[in-house]
């Protein structure tokens, strides 16, 4: 079993660790650093987001820059609050179970949870070591990811990637336990340790025939989500939606939107909810799950890096300073320490 998994990782580049995948094209990134005379040339890409949104930015910062009706209702909770204070804030804001909780500064779905009752809320609040978000559970049926960038000199941008996400999920057959369904799922069975930990209290449950169960609500490739290419759906109507969002703050130039909607048609009409906006650290995730050859994936990544460099350079020349080496290094070290801590609690 382990040998088969090893072979899959060797021959399927989508399963390679991040640094292995990006190592061959790393010199291009460092060439942009040299040309910019800044190790953190990207920090000026989105001037109103900390570090350009590369890593470690706050979700509060992101939501406050989006149109107020474009994202789920959200409140922020300090982990140092008493549980009574948390209950009071949640009740005052009008939340009812179920709802979503996640760290204000997080990544890759770490400590993202659906809270269905007070017992789960108490358990989450007692364990999480950082400020977190309470947010409406958006149960719209379609989740998509849109990669967009716009040059500061242009009124119109470009959508380079448009995918639909299928979350990691199973359907009952009236006979199999949840654990059996997990073990037989082509994507879940590679995450057995995570699945056992996350669902340990219900692994013996038998799902009724056709009963639907989400194994993870995080729409990340590393959390088992599958991506469906929607490139053919990109048109002027869709582009206008994201041009308008980019112009709303005047300084959203590069990143990826994660969105829920009823349908692609409704999204194009402006009916949607933005789950997150990821800045210059966002990966062009449309390279995954589309049978793309490794060479083509590298070309797509390099195209995005070039746009990021050009946008950042323009913004720098027009008043958005690059971060100093010391400031960027300290910020990254603090962010990585923060994420390691979250992973332990996850």
């Amino acid at each position: 079993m382990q040998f088969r998994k090893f072979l899959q990782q060797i021959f399927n580049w989508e399963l390679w660790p991040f640094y292995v995948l990006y190592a061959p094209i790393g010199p291009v990134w460092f060439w942009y650093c040299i040309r910019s005379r800044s190790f953190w040339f990207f920090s000026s890409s989105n001037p109103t987001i900390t570090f350009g949104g590369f890593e470690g930015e706050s979700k509060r910062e992101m939501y406050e820059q989006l149109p107020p009706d474009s994202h789920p209702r959200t409140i922020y909770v300090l982990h140092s609050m008493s549980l009574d204070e948390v209950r009071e804030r949640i009740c005052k804001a009008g939340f009812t179970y179920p709802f979503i909780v996640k760290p204000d500064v997080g990544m890759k779905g770490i400590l993202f949870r659906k809270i269905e009752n007070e017992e789960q809320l108490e358990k989450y609040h007692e364990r999480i070591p950082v400020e977190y978000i309470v947010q409406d559970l958006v149960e719209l049926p379609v989740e998509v990811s849109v990669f967009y960038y716009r040059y500061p000199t242009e009124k119109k941008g470009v959508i380079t990637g448009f995918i639909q996400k299928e979350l990691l999920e199973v359907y009952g057959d009236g006979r199999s336990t949840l654990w059996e369904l997990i073990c037989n799922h082509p994507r879940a069975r590679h995450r057995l340790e995570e699945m056992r930990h996350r669902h340990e209290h219900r692994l013996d449950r038998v799902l009724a025939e056709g009963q639907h169960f989400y194994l993870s609500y995080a729409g990340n490739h590393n959390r088992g989500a599958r991506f469906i290419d929607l490139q053919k759906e990109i048109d002027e109507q869709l582009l206008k939606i994201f041009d308008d969002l980019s112009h709303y703050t005047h300084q959203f130039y590069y990143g990826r939107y994660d969105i829920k909607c009823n349908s692609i048609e409704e999204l194009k009409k402006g009916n949607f909810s933005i789950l997150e906006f990821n800045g210059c650290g966002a990966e062009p995730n449309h390279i995954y799950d589309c049978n793309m050859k490794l060479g083509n994936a590298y070309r797509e990544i390099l195209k995005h890096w070039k746009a990021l460099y050009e946008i950042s350079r323009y913004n720098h020349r027009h008043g958005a300073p690059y971060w100093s080496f010391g400031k960027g290094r300290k910020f990254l070290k603090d962010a990585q320490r923060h994420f390691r801590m979250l992973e332990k609690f996850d």
Side-chain angles (χ1 to χ4, degrees):
M1 187 71 175
Q2 291 295 327
F3 183 68
R4 186 188 305 170
K5 185 177 180 181
F6 174 75
L7 286 179
Q8 285 179 327
Q9 288 182 322
I10 289 294
F11 292 106
N12 184 356
W13 63 264
E14 294 184 12
L15 300 177
W16 292 356
F18 178 86
Y19 291 108
V20 173
L21 176 61
Y22 280 84
I25 57 174
V28 178
W29 182 269
F30 286 107
W31 172 238
Y32 288 138
C33 294
I34 292 169
R35 290 185 67 183
S36 303
R37 299 180 182 177
S38 170
F39 210 68
W40 319 117
F41 70 89
F42 49 81
S43 59
S44 62
S45 56
N46 297 305
T48 59
I49 304 176
T50 301
F51 213 31
F54 183 77
E55 189 173 297
E57 74 279 9
S58 161
K59 291 180 174 58
R60 179 198 292 259
E61 181 181 45
M62 177 266 296
Y63 287 129
E64 288 178 349
Q65 296 182 57
L66 291 170
D69 58 347
S70 66
H71 56 84
R73 175 177 49 173
T74 303
I75 61 171
Y76 303 88
V77 177
L78 295 174
H79 69 286
S80 57
M81 288 180 174
S82 70
L83 187 60
D84 286 338
E85 288 178 291
V86 176
R87 289 196 197 100
E88 184 179 348
R89 289 208 66 193
I90 289 173
C91 182
K92 189 175 180 180
F95 284 94
T96 57
Y97 297 106
F99 50 74
I100 293 298
V101 291
K102 55 186 176 181
D104 180 40
V105 178
M107 64 185 296
K108 297 181 180 178
I110 298 172
L111 285 173
F112 179 104
R113 297 290 189 273
K114 177 185 177 184
I115 302 297
E116 297 181 335
N117 52 54
E118 188 162 325
E119 182 182 352
Q120 290 181 2
L121 174 64
E122 182 177 357
K123 184 178 178 181
Y124 188 88
H125 183 70
E126 285 179 351
R127 294 187 179 184
I128 192 167
V130 295
E131 181 179 3
Y132 65 95
I133 285 172
V134 175
Q135 191 172 73
D136 277 330
L137 173 63
V138 180
E139 298 192 282
L140 299 174
V142 178
E143 183 169 346
V144 300
S145 184
V146 179
F147 206 110
Y148 169 95
Y149 63 76
R150 176 173 67 86
Y151 288 98
T153 56
E154 303 291 333
K155 292 185 177 180
K156 294 180 66 173
V158 57
I159 294 174
T160 59
F162 187 28
I163 60 170
Q164 182 174 342
K165 299 181 179 182
E166 283 189 358
L167 302 184
L168 191 59
E169 56 192 344
V170 293
Y171 288 87
D173 58 11
R175 302 181 307 277
S176 304
T177 64
L178 179 60
W179 181 244
E180 289 170 334
L181 294 172
I182 289 171
C183 290
N184 290 323
H185 192 290
R187 285 177 285 135
R189 65 187 177 207
H190 300 304
R191 298 171 170 80
L192 293 184
E193 185 178 348
E194 176 190 344
M195 293 294 102
R196 190 193 298 275
H197 175 74
R198 187 181 295 270
H199 303 292
E200 59 184 350
H201 59 294
R202 50 191 165 215
L203 293 176
D204 294 329
R205 182 188 303 175
V206 175
L207 300 185
E209 186 170 355
Q211 183 180 350
H212 175 245
F213 184 86
Y214 282 118
L215 297 173
S216 175
Y217 282 89
N220 303 95
H221 195 261
N222 69 308
R223 293 287 180 171
R226 186 171 78 91
F227 300 159
I228 301 167
D229 188 23
L230 298 177
Q231 195 77 17
K232 292 180 180 178
E233 293 286 348
I234 299 175
D235 57 19
E236 287 298 316
Q237 190 177 8
L238 184 69
L239 179 59
K240 185 179 185 307
I241 295 293
F242 295 94
D243 280 336
D244 289 346
L245 285 170
S246 177
H247 285 285
Y248 180 79
T249 61
H250 305 290
Q251 299 196 56
F252 271 4
Y253 295 119
Y254 182 99
R256 192 186 68 228
Y257 295 87
D258 294 326
I259 290 173
K260 277 201 168 185
C261 54
N262 274 312
S263 66
I264 304 305
E265 291 73 23
E266 286 296 304
L267 169 60
K268 291 180 180 181
K269 292 177 183 177
N271 301 319
F272 57 85
S273 183
I274 299 173
L275 304 180
E276 287 193 12
F277 172 83
N278 300 281
C280 68
E283 189 177 30
N285 57 9
H286 51 280
I287 65 176
Y288 297 109
D289 292 338
C290 62
N291 298 315
M292 187 178 288
K293 293 181 179 179
L294 179 59
N296 291 334
Y298 281 148
R299 276 190 285 274
E300 189 69 10
I301 294 168
L302 292 175
K303 178 180 76 174
H304 285 75
W305 284 2
K306 181 181 179 183
L308 176 61
Y309 163 73
E310 291 173 343
I311 291 168
S312 301
R313 182 179 62 176
Y314 179 90
N315 288 338
H316 172 67
R317 289 176 174 174
H318 290 80
Y322 296 138
W323 280 31
S324 69
F325 179 78
K327 180 180 178 182
R329 183 172 180 269
K330 182 181 185 305
F331 183 83
L332 271 184
K333 286 182 68 175
D334 290 344
Q336 289 162 4
R337 188 182 305 116
H338 173 87
F339 294 136
R340 284 195 299 269
M341 176 180 63
L342 294 186
E343 285 176 335
K344 289 181 181 179
F345 282 85
D346 196 45

